[in-house]
């Protein structure tokens, strides 16, 4: 089995698996995940600006 054949098989398997999988965990909300990521990024930005006082 060549690398090309293996990559093609894995890509086909991955694309087929995503179409039929409609079950998502009920507690995972995209808005909650995005909001938490935004808060974390703002916190990191705030920490970075507090330590960069030399300018």
């Amino acid at each position: 089995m060549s690398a090309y054949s293996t990559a093609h098989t894995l890509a086909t398997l991955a694309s087929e698996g995503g179409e039929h999988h409609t079950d998502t965990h009920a507690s995972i909300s995209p808005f909650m995940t995005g909001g938490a990521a935004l808060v974390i990024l703002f916190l990191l930005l705030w920490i970075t600006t507090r330590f960069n006082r030399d300018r």
Side-chain angles (χ1 to χ4, degrees):
M1 194 177 241
S2 69
Y4 177 76
S5 175
T6 304
H8 182 267
T9 303
L10 290 175
T12 305
L13 181 64
S15 67
E16 288 175 354
E19 293 176 5
H20 303 293
H21 182 68
T22 58
D23 272 344
T24 56
H25 199 271
S27 67
I28 299 175
S29 168
F31 295 110
M32 187 65 83
T33 305
L38 185 64
V39 168
I40 291 169
L41 287 173
F42 276 138
L43 179 66
L44 288 173
L45 179 65
W46 181 79
I47 290 170
T48 302
T49 56
R50 295 305 114 202
F51 282 111
N52 193 14
R53 294 274 183 179
D54 58 341
R55 294 182 186 198

